[in-house]
Amino acid sequence: MKIYFAGSIRGGREDAALYQQIIEYLKTFGDVLTEHIGDPKLTDLGDDGPTDSYIHNRDLEWLQSADFLVAEVTTVSMGVGYEIGRAVESGKKVLCLFRPETGKNLSAMITGCPNLELVNYSDFDEVKLELKRFLGV
Amino acid sequence: MKIYFAGSIRGGREDAALYQQIIEYLKTFGDVLTEHIGDPKLTDLGDDGPTDSYIHNRDLEWLQSADFLVAEVTTVSMGVGYEIGRAVESGKKVLCLFRPETGKNLSAMITGCPNLELVNYSDFDEVKLELKRFLGV
């Protein structure tokens, strides 16, 4: 099973530790193609490749090869929105995870989209159950 | 000519006046389907429709019917990223406008994407020239 995990890089790294926790859990079920998203050394400069063109094309190839897209959408990110849009348009299965207690406003393009699953959560145990259900494991 | 203009709503409304200026200029060339994005009364609560599902489906219908997507991408927005992703995946012509002088980090998913045009600008006269060129008018 190939899983593409999406989280904010240049939009802000305040949730990086949480991304890493989700990635570690996802790795028990399959290959997480974007494992570097949880790397605490990766800053909001987003220098996870030699050029932006390289980063885009590598990530898109991973996204296209993935069986599932799992996105943590609490930190606002143009790139995560773009990846969700491409995945939805190409008919891929998409799960978005959001923490309402942060008080952030999630886009109506995510909350109102009929072609993805949105899960509101507050603790990691809920995430684990939702991920198992979504992946069918 | 039908033009879909994309700008941040729930991601933050600090560029709303600029969106309005771009929309007014675009209206001299065709129909701007998302004219409300420039409305100064529209806040980051993003209540531009009765439900999020209504907003999403209305906007997607507009996006699918548009000849061009023009997006101002300086304010980070999940929804704008989503719209760009869906438009690129469906083969639509996309122009992204960015102001580097703000010091913001634009996502590599936008700067590195080979299927859209990205224009860096600092004043509105540059935008006018680029819009005319992009729309072929």
Side-chain angles (χ1 to χ4, degrees), chain B residues 60-108:
Chain B
L60 249 289
E61 208 169 290
W62 279 336
L63 183 60
Q64 281 158 353
S65 75
D67 303 300
F68 300 97
L69 168 61
V70 175
E72 218 293 347
V73 297
T74 309
T75 297
V76 179
S77 159
M78 192 77 81
V80 172
Y82 173 86
E83 290 161 341
I84 294 169
R86 291 207 61 159
V88 166
E89 187 70 28
S90 67
K92 210 165 283 288
K93 281 197 77 179
V94 177
L95 178 70
C96 293
L97 303 168
F98 180 66
R99 305 194 310 288
E101 66 189 9
T102 59
K104 294 196 180 173
N105 286 334
L106 184 57
S107 170

Side-chain angles (χ1 to χ4, degrees), chain A residues 44 52 86 89 105 111, chain B residues 44 52 86 89 105-106 111:
Chain A
D44 65 4
D52 284 0
R86 292 206 63 159
E89 188 71 27
N105 286 334
T111 56
Chain B
D44 66 4
D52 284 1
R86 291 207 61 159
E89 187 70 28
N105 286 334
L106 184 57
T111 56

Side-chain angles (χ1 to χ4, degrees), chain B residues 12-124:
Chain B
R13 295 293 289 160
E14 55 264 38
D15 286 339
L18 175 62
Y19 301 158
Q20 194 171 28
Q21 202 177 8
I22 296 170
I23 288 165
E24 287 306 314
Y25 186 70
L26 288 171
K27 281 167 69 182
T28 62
F29 305 113
D31 291 336
V32 180
L33 303 168
T34 51
E35 197 179 333
H36 65 288
I37 307 285
D39 185 345
K41 294 194 294 295
L42 180 59
T43 71
D44 66 4
L45 292 175
D47 50 351
D48 56 315
T51 66
D52 284 1
S53 176
Y54 176 93
I55 294 170
H56 174 278
N57 295 342
R58 174 198 65 198
D59 289 5
L60 249 289
E61 208 169 290
W62 279 336
L63 183 60
Q64 281 158 353
S65 75
D67 303 300
F68 300 97
L69 168 61
V70 175
E72 218 293 347
V73 297
T74 309
T75 297
V76 179
S77 159
M78 192 77 81
V80 172
Y82 173 86
E83 290 161 341
I84 294 169
R86 291 207 61 159
V88 166
E89 187 70 28
S90 67
K92 210 165 283 288
K93 281 197 77 179
V94 177
L95 178 70
C96 293
L97 303 168
F98 180 66
R99 305 194 310 288
E101 66 189 9
T102 59
K104 294 196 180 173
N105 286 334
L106 184 57
S107 170
M109 294 302 106
I110 307 301
T111 56
C113 178
N115 308 110
L116 57 79
E117 279 193 58
L118 172 63
V119 164
N120 291 320
Y121 73 101
S122 56
D123 70 59
F124 192 63

Side-chain angles (χ1 to χ4, degrees), chain A residues 82-103:
Chain A
Y82 172 87
E83 289 161 341
I84 294 168
R86 292 206 63 159
V88 166
E89 188 71 27
S90 68
K92 209 165 284 287
K93 280 197 78 179
V94 177
L95 178 70
C96 293
L97 303 169
F98 180 65
R99 305 194 310 288
E101 66 189 9
T102 59

Side-chain angles (χ1 to χ4, degrees), chain A residues 3 9-10 13 21 23 32 35 47 49 54-55 65 73 84-86 88 92-93 100 111-112 117 119-120 123 130 134:
Chain A
I3 306 161
I9 301 175
R10 296 186 191 176
R13 296 292 288 161
Q21 201 176 9
I23 288 164
V32 180
E35 196 179 335
D47 51 353
Y54 175 93
I55 294 170
S65 75
V73 297
I84 294 168
R86 292 206 63 159
V88 166
K92 209 165 284 287
K93 280 197 78 179
T111 56
E117 278 193 59
V119 165
N120 292 319
D123 71 61
E130 293 292 346
F134 175 71

Side-chain angles (χ1 to χ4, degrees), chain A residues 5 8 12-23 36-42 75:
Chain A
F5 176 78
S8 172
R13 296 292 288 161
E14 55 266 38
D15 286 339
L18 175 61
Y19 302 157
Q20 194 172 29
Q21 201 176 9
I22 296 170
I23 288 164
H36 65 288
I37 306 285
D39 185 345
K41 293 193 295 295
L42 180 58
T75 296

